[in-house]
Amino acid sequence: MGREQWKKVWVGSAGNMVEWFDWFVYATFAVYFADAFFPKGNETANLMNTMGIFAVGFFMRPVGGWLLGRIGDRRGRKAALTLTVSLMSASAILIAVAPTYAVAGYGGVAVLLVARLLQGLSVGGEYAASATYLTEASAPGRRGFASSFQYVSMTAGQLVGLGLQIVLQRTLSEDALHSWGWRVPFIVGAVGAAVVFYLRRSLLETEVYAESGAAADENRGTLRALWAHRREAVLVMALTMGGTVAYYTYTTYLTKFLSSSAGMAKPTASLVSFCALFVFMCVQPLAGLLSDRIGRRPMLITFAVGSTFLTVPIMTMLKHAGTFWPAFGLALLALLIVTGYTSINACVKAELFPTGIRALGVALPYAVANALFGGTAEYVALWFKKAGAESGFYWYVAGCAAVSLVVYLTMRETRDIDLNRAAVLGAADRAPEGLGKTSPSAL
């Protein structure tokens, strides 16, 4: 890739990192502020209430996917990227200053809920905006490599959050973390978002969008245009199902699982997650490069087979890992399997749609799938635990991966699609095998 393309990838990724730092610190610090917003009582019940609000943010993502996907297709990728980070900054500030139950009763919960709704709105558009931007900004033979930086930046944001958590755990007392220390990451996130807002204001539009003529199409970014590509939209949801459940299981839920179910000390659990995620982040570009050589389907199939058959034994052994090294090895194995999905899912979805509907086409169905499966993953896990059948969640994750496996086995390869030509091609030229065709007139 050329220097200008690298600049686009770097700036787009930097914003994505801050977005996901703000998104994930809610989950990683929930163990410290869960009791702050609800009456004292059952720790698991309060954590479930807090993660229920976390899940609510996911249900706002389809609205954000529609709104910001529409803006991305009608006003350009840059406009959508700038708006998403502004919303995320506002939500981080709200959480940082939210009053506790002791101060304002359930008023603090209301502030927390509004903040999570804003986060859901922002992230619902950020995924598609950054996925589309990174895919369009890269050279044709390097789309897998370039788009892999989406999960590099997402993971980097999570690592910064975990790193900050580890520092705070070692510098503050347990009481200080529960009383005020948990607010620190949200203040950091708000400042970071302000910096990225400045960077994104000078971001250059992608050549694919600028030269496609999509801006002159009255139907660009509309639900009517998306309906013409409804089969591709359904495919995006099916592609996402298994991947998003597995990803959230081994990232945001892993630390809580190791501390509450495996009996590991919170600092040790955080360190396991941090180290495994660091290696996971580093292998994303390598897997993206591999997909540029062998195609997207082999990578997706490898992920789905591994998750379908290895999730139950990995989670079972994690629960009894006990110490750092066994837990680290198992967590890393799980994340390496998930890499088959995370490293390329952005470009696969973007490659399914023409330019005038690409941002919305990726955003809305992906956000719906995340609301149904990703956002509820931790809540489902905690529900199984409270019911005394925690292993049921392991089978749930494996089952979701099995459904996606069927889709991966029947879809067409997307690696060699010309994004510029896709702007004028009918959906029939790109329709996945087994999922039907759409006539060119639908465009």
Side-chain angles (χ1 to χ4, degrees):
M1 296 192 299
R3 181 178 179 181
E4 195 60 46
Q5 289 174 324
W6 272 114
K7 180 181 178 181
K8 292 177 179 178
V9 169
W10 178 80
V11 176
S13 298
N16 202 39
M17 181 185 73
V18 175
E19 288 269 8
W20 288 92
F21 168 84
D22 287 340
W23 181 263
F24 281 118
V25 290
Y26 181 99
T28 57
F29 278 83
V31 292
Y32 293 110
F33 66 77
D35 290 334
F37 294 99
F38 298 95
K40 299 295 183 180
N42 185 283
E43 182 179 348
T44 300
N46 284 347
L47 188 57
M48 285 185 68
N49 289 331
T50 307
M51 296 318 300
I53 295 176
F54 180 75
V56 167
F58 277 85
F59 284 97
M60 196 64 179
R61 289 175 68 163
V63 179
W66 166 74
L67 177 62
L68 294 165
R70 177 182 174 87
I71 291 174
D73 284 328
R74 297 184 73 84
R75 298 188 180 181
R77 316 314 188 200
K78 174 184 174 180
L81 286 169
T82 304
L83 181 56
T84 58
V85 78
S86 302
L87 293 171
M88 186 60 79
S89 179
S91 65
I93 292 173
L94 282 176
I95 297 176
V97 301
T100 63
Y101 181 83
V103 173
Y106 286 107
V109 175
V111 174
L112 195 65
L113 181 60
V114 170
R116 285 296 300 168
L117 292 175
L118 285 177
Q119 282 190 336
L121 189 70
S122 175
V123 177
E126 170 66 23
Y127 173 87
S130 61
T132 301
Y133 191 88
L134 290 173
T135 302
E136 291 182 349
S138 60
R142 287 292 182 267
R143 291 201 297 258
F145 174 70
S147 66
S148 71
F149 282 89
Q150 183 179 50
Y151 270 83
V152 170
S153 58
M154 286 172 63
T155 307
Q158 191 172 358
L159 283 173
V160 172
L162 279 171
L164 182 57
Q165 185 181 51
I166 291 171
V167 170
L168 292 175
Q169 286 171 336
R170 281 160 172 72
T171 56
L172 297 177
S173 66
E174 189 79 4
D175 289 339
L177 279 170
H178 281 275
S179 63
W180 61 268
W182 60 266
R183 297 182 188 272
V184 173
F186 297 104
I187 297 172
V188 172
V191 173
V195 173
V196 173
F197 175 80
Y198 173 78
L199 292 174
R200 283 187 168 180
R201 288 184 63 188
S202 61
L203 199 63
L204 298 175
E205 189 58 80
T206 66
E207 293 181 5
V208 171
Y209 181 83
E211 298 175 359
S212 67
D217 183 2
E218 293 183 357
N219 287 325
R220 66 192 183 281
T222 64
L223 293 177
R224 177 185 299 178
L226 181 60
W227 181 252
H229 297 272
R230 56 192 177 276
R231 297 187 185 280
E232 287 88 343
V234 171
L235 177 60
V236 169
M237 293 181 64
L239 282 168
T240 303
M241 179 181 177
T244 193
V245 171
Y247 178 74
Y248 280 100
T249 297
Y250 297 121
T251 55
T252 59
Y253 181 60
L254 180 64
T255 303
K256 288 185 284 294
F257 177 77
L258 291 175
S259 62
S260 64
S261 296
M264 192 173 290
K266 289 178 183 177
T268 304
S270 296
L271 187 61
V272 168
S273 293
F274 183 91
C275 294
L277 282 170
F278 180 80
V279 179
F280 170 75
M281 178 183 67
C282 293
V283 301
Q284 298 304 297
L286 300 177
L289 276 174
L290 182 61
S291 79
D292 286 327
R293 285 183 169 271
I294 68 174
R296 320 297 190 213
R297 289 181 69 248
M299 304 293 293
L300 292 170
I301 291 171
T302 299
F303 149 70
V305 170
S307 291
T308 299
F309 295 103
L310 295 180
T311 294
V312 175
I314 286 176
M315 292 295 289
T316 301
M317 288 187 287
L318 270 174
K319 187 173 182 178
H320 299 93
T323 58
F324 173 84
W325 286 109
F328 169 72
L330 290 166
L332 181 59
L333 173 60
L335 286 171
L336 290 177
I337 293 171
V338 176
T339 295
Y341 166 81
T342 56
S343 61
I344 60 169
N345 82 97
C347 66
V348 171
K349 294 163 188 174
E351 287 165 346
L352 292 172
F353 297 94
T355 304
I357 194 62
R358 184 168 294 131
L360 180 61
V362 174
L364 186 56
Y366 170 80
V368 170
N370 259 273
L372 295 175
F373 302 104
T376 59
E378 291 192 55
Y379 195 83
V380 171
L382 291 170
W383 182 88
F384 272 110
K385 179 181 179 179
K386 189 176 181 181
E390 191 167 30
S391 62
F393 177 68
Y394 315 161
W395 290 100
Y396 169 76
V397 177
C400 290
V403 173
S404 289
L405 174 60
V406 174
V407 178
Y408 302 154
L409 289 171
T410 57
M411 67 178 285
R412 288 179 59 180
E413 180 59 61
T414 63
R415 178 188 59 180
D416 298 321
I417 288 174
D418 185 338
L419 294 182
N420 290 291
R421 188 165 170 258
V424 296
L425 282 176
D429 296 292
R430 301 177 315 285
E433 293 174 0
L435 291 178
K437 305 283 186 177
T438 304
S439 68
S441 61
L443 287 171

